[in-house]
Amino acid sequence: MVLAFFCAEIQGFVRLVSPQVPFCGPAGLSQRFQVAGESNESFFVVCLNTKNEVLLVKKIHLGFCNQVITDMKILFATILQTGALSFICAHNHPSGDVLPSEEDKELTNKISQASRLLDLHFLDHVIVSIDKYYSFQQDTVMF
Protein backbone atom coordinates (compact mmCIF):
# COMPACT_ATOMS: atom_id res chain seq x y z
CA MET A 1 0.00 0.00 0.00
CA VAL A 2 1.36 3.40 -0.92
CA LEU A 3 1.31 5.64 2.14
CA ALA A 4 2.41 8.84 0.50
CA PHE A 5 1.62 10.14 -2.94
CA PHE A 6 3.49 13.42 -3.20
CA CYS A 7 3.78 14.77 -6.71
CA ALA A 8 3.47 18.09 -8.43
CA GLU A 9 1.06 18.67 -11.25
CA ILE A 10 1.49 16.24 -14.11
CA GLN A 11 1.76 17.56 -17.64
CA GLY A 12 -1.39 17.01 -19.66
CA PHE A 13 -5.01 16.53 -18.77
CA VAL A 14 -4.54 14.55 -15.58
CA ARG A 15 -3.16 16.03 -12.41
CA LEU A 16 -2.73 14.78 -8.90
CA VAL A 17 -5.06 16.25 -6.32
CA SER A 18 -5.02 16.10 -2.51
CA PRO A 19 -1.41 14.89 -2.23
CA GLN A 20 -1.45 15.09 1.57
CA VAL A 21 -4.20 12.44 1.83
CA PRO A 22 -2.69 8.94 2.16
CA PHE A 23 -3.06 6.64 -0.80
CA CYS A 24 -5.08 3.53 0.02
CA GLY A 25 -5.50 1.27 -2.99
CA PRO A 26 -7.10 1.98 -6.35
CA ALA A 27 -9.87 4.16 -4.95
CA GLY A 28 -7.16 6.44 -3.55
CA LEU A 29 -5.39 6.44 -6.89
CA SER A 30 -8.55 7.32 -8.80
CA GLN A 31 -9.26 10.17 -6.35
CA ARG A 32 -5.85 11.63 -7.13
CA PHE A 33 -6.38 11.75 -10.87
CA GLN A 34 -8.69 14.49 -11.99
CA VAL A 35 -9.92 13.87 -15.51
CA ALA A 36 -11.04 17.20 -16.89
CA GLY A 37 -13.30 16.16 -19.76
CA GLU A 38 -10.49 15.02 -22.02
CA SER A 39 -11.47 13.28 -25.21
CA ASN A 40 -8.36 11.06 -25.45
CA GLU A 41 -7.10 8.14 -23.41
CA SER A 42 -3.74 8.44 -21.65
CA PHE A 43 -1.63 5.73 -20.03
CA PHE A 44 0.39 6.36 -16.86
CA VAL A 45 2.84 4.40 -14.77
CA VAL A 46 3.36 4.95 -11.05
CA CYS A 47 6.81 3.64 -10.02
CA LEU A 48 7.31 2.64 -6.38
CA ASN A 49 10.31 1.85 -4.20
CA THR A 50 10.67 -1.03 -1.72
CA LYS A 51 8.53 0.86 0.83
CA ASN A 52 5.86 1.50 -1.81
CA GLU A 53 6.67 5.20 -1.83
CA VAL A 54 6.22 6.97 -5.14
CA LEU A 55 9.40 7.44 -7.14
CA LEU A 56 7.78 8.67 -10.34
CA VAL A 57 4.42 9.24 -11.98
CA LYS A 58 4.77 9.49 -15.73
CA LYS A 59 2.46 9.67 -18.71
CA ILE A 60 3.73 6.95 -21.03
CA HIS A 61 1.34 7.43 -23.95
CA LEU A 62 -1.41 9.71 -25.19
CA GLY A 63 -3.96 7.79 -27.22
CA PHE A 64 -7.17 8.35 -29.12
CA CYS A 65 -10.78 8.82 -28.06
CA ASN A 66 -11.32 5.10 -27.48
CA GLN A 67 -7.88 3.52 -27.11
CA VAL A 68 -4.30 4.04 -26.11
CA ILE A 69 -1.52 1.91 -27.55
CA THR A 70 1.18 1.21 -25.00
CA ASP A 71 4.71 0.32 -26.06
CA MET A 72 6.01 -2.27 -23.60
CA LYS A 73 9.61 -1.22 -24.21
CA ILE A 74 8.92 2.36 -23.13
CA LEU A 75 6.85 1.23 -20.14
CA PHE A 76 9.49 -1.13 -18.77
CA ALA A 77 12.41 1.16 -19.64
CA THR A 78 10.75 3.85 -17.51
CA ILE A 79 10.21 1.45 -14.60
CA LEU A 80 13.75 0.05 -14.74
CA GLN A 81 15.38 3.49 -15.06
CA THR A 82 13.75 4.63 -11.81
CA GLY A 83 15.03 1.58 -9.92
CA ALA A 84 11.45 0.73 -8.98
CA LEU A 85 10.58 -2.60 -7.41
CA SER A 86 6.83 -2.24 -7.88
CA PHE A 87 4.53 -0.31 -10.17
CA ILE A 88 0.92 0.51 -10.92
CA CYS A 89 -0.48 1.29 -14.35
CA ALA A 90 -3.43 3.61 -14.85
CA HIS A 91 -5.33 4.95 -17.80
CA ASN A 92 -8.56 6.83 -18.35
CA HIS A 93 -11.71 6.03 -20.29
CA PRO A 94 -13.13 9.34 -21.57
CA SER A 95 -16.49 7.64 -22.21
CA GLY A 96 -16.98 7.26 -18.45
CA ASP A 97 -17.43 3.48 -18.77
CA VAL A 98 -14.58 2.05 -16.71
CA LEU A 99 -15.16 -1.61 -17.58
CA PRO A 100 -12.06 -2.97 -19.32
CA SER A 101 -12.11 -3.71 -23.03
CA GLU A 102 -10.64 -6.92 -24.40
CA GLU A 103 -7.59 -4.87 -25.38
CA ASP A 104 -7.26 -3.63 -21.78
CA LYS A 105 -7.39 -7.22 -20.52
CA GLU A 106 -4.80 -8.37 -23.07
CA LEU A 107 -2.49 -5.47 -22.21
CA THR A 108 -2.80 -6.17 -18.48
CA ASN A 109 -1.97 -9.83 -19.05
CA LYS A 110 1.03 -8.88 -21.19
CA ILE A 111 2.33 -6.44 -18.57
CA SER A 112 1.83 -9.04 -15.85
CA GLN A 113 3.81 -11.68 -17.74
CA ALA A 114 6.65 -9.29 -18.58
CA SER A 115 6.88 -8.02 -15.01
CA ARG A 116 7.30 -11.57 -13.69
CA LEU A 117 10.19 -12.13 -16.11
CA LEU A 118 11.87 -8.97 -14.81
CA ASP A 119 11.18 -9.74 -11.12
CA LEU A 120 9.03 -6.62 -10.77
CA HIS A 121 5.82 -6.40 -8.76
CA PHE A 122 2.89 -5.32 -10.94
CA LEU A 123 0.44 -4.21 -8.26
CA ASP A 124 -2.53 -3.09 -10.32
CA HIS A 125 -3.91 -1.65 -13.52
CA VAL A 126 -6.56 0.96 -12.73
CA ILE A 127 -8.98 2.46 -15.24
CA VAL A 128 -10.38 5.84 -14.18
CA SER A 129 -13.11 8.19 -15.30
CA ILE A 130 -14.28 11.41 -13.74
CA ASP A 131 -16.19 9.72 -10.92
CA LYS A 132 -15.48 5.97 -11.13
CA TYR A 133 -12.63 3.50 -11.29
CA TYR A 134 -12.01 -0.14 -12.11
CA SER A 135 -9.19 -2.13 -10.50
CA PHE A 136 -7.96 -5.32 -12.14
CA GLN A 137 -6.46 -6.32 -8.79
CA GLN A 138 -9.72 -5.85 -6.87
CA ASP A 139 -11.64 -7.71 -9.54
CA THR A 140 -8.97 -10.46 -9.52
CA VAL A 141 -9.23 -10.73 -13.30
CA MET A 142 -5.47 -10.88 -13.70
CA PHE A 143 -4.06 -11.06 -10.18
Side-chain angles (χ1 to χ4, degrees), residues 111-131:
I111 293 169
S112 181
Q113 290 175 7
S115 66
R116 282 193 292 274
L117 289 172
L118 295 169
D119 292 326
L120 296 169
H121 302 285
F122 178 30
L123 300 179
D124 205 350
H125 180 183
V126 180
I127 301 171
V128 299
S129 72
I130 291 173
D131 59 352

Side-chain angles (χ1 to χ4, degrees), residues 79-92:
I79 296 165
L80 293 169
Q81 287 170 353
T82 64
L85 175 66
S86 305
F87 67 99
I88 300 166
C89 293
H91 79 277
N92 70 310

Side-chain angles (χ1 to χ4, degrees), residues 97-111:
D97 178 5
V98 294
L99 291 177
S101 65
E102 286 306 312
E103 291 83 4
D104 292 335
K105 292 175 186 177
E106 289 171 18
L107 175 63
T108 303
N109 187 41
K110 203 169 159 181
I111 293 169

